[in-house]
Amino acid sequence: MCIVETIGPRNLLLMGFGICSVASIFLAMSIELQKTIPWMDELSAAFLTLFLLGQSVGPDPVTNVLVSELFLQSSRSTAFVITGTLHWTCKLLFTLVYLHVENHVEPYSFIVCWPVCIASFVCLNRRIPDIRNKTFLDIQRIVALHMARRILMKSLVVPNY
């Protein structure tokens, strides 16, 4: 919890998805080069470890912290159930899809992770405010201002006919 408070959950998520996106590209390249360069196996293992480190820093643990900080006590248990179900369902679906994709695009199977990591990075960067070292009331105010700003920006956009 100390790391989350000092660095902030938003920064940890961004760092985790950033590490995963870079590691997935290098992992795909190193797996392809294993056929020609004999010592590339060790580098592939290092990039896989880096990818798992990125998952361990950001997307896996920080989502629970965000739920506990962004939701009121009355709706927190429901939010935990929904995010937990979504988290594990996405992991299951990704694993099942990955096993089939890996057979068809063998060395480039980790490139499938790259667009997901980049899209998550961009979406989180735009939508989640920085809540580092803030109280629950401060976080509620920041989220309300953030949502009001988004609603105002949507209302100002004039549709093209």
Side-chain angles (χ1 to χ4, degrees):
M1 202 62 177
C2 182
I3 293 174
V4 174
E5 288 297 322
T6 56
I7 296 175
R10 178 180 184 263
N11 294 336
L12 282 173
L13 278 170
L14 292 175
M15 188 169 42
F17 279 117
I19 289 170
C20 287
S21 63
V22 170
S24 64
I25 290 175
F26 285 124
L27 186 58
M29 291 188 319
S30 65
I31 289 172
E32 175 63 28
L33 291 174
Q34 281 180 3
K35 300 171 186 169
T36 57
I37 303 172
W39 52 268
M40 196 56 73
D41 293 340
E42 288 84 16
L43 202 56
S44 295
F47 287 132
L48 182 61
T49 304
L50 186 65
F51 184 83
L52 293 174
L53 178 74
Q55 283 286 321
S56 299
V57 165
D60 276 345
V62 176
T63 52
N64 289 330
V65 174
L66 274 176
V67 168
S68 67
E69 290 185 355
L70 293 179
F71 288 94
L72 295 171
Q73 183 68 33
S74 59
S75 59
R76 197 172 293 162
S77 61
T78 306
F80 270 118
V81 169
I82 291 171
T83 56
T85 303
L86 253 163
H87 185 79
W88 286 103
T89 303
C90 288
K91 280 187 173 222
L92 175 71
L93 289 175
F94 185 79
T95 303
L96 293 175
V97 169
Y98 178 78
L99 292 173
H100 293 292
V101 168
E102 186 183 25
N103 292 335
H104 298 292
V105 293
E106 294 168 4
Y108 302 107
S109 59
F110 274 93
I111 291 192
V112 173
C113 300
W114 183 76
V116 174
C117 291
I118 292 296
S120 299
F121 184 88
V122 170
C123 182
L124 290 170
N125 194 26
R126 294 182 72 209
R127 296 191 182 225
I128 293 185
D130 190 17
I131 56 175
R132 178 180 9 163
N133 295 326
K134 304 272 192 290
T135 65
F136 184 75
L137 294 174
D138 292 338
I139 293 169
Q140 291 299 316
R141 246 182 266 123
I142 289 169
V143 170
L145 284 172
H146 192 70
M147 294 305 290
R149 197 174 303 135
R150 284 185 55 211
I151 291 170
L152 180 65
M153 293 305 287
K154 281 185 180 179
S155 68
L156 292 177
V157 174
V158 178
N160 293 333
Y161 292 107

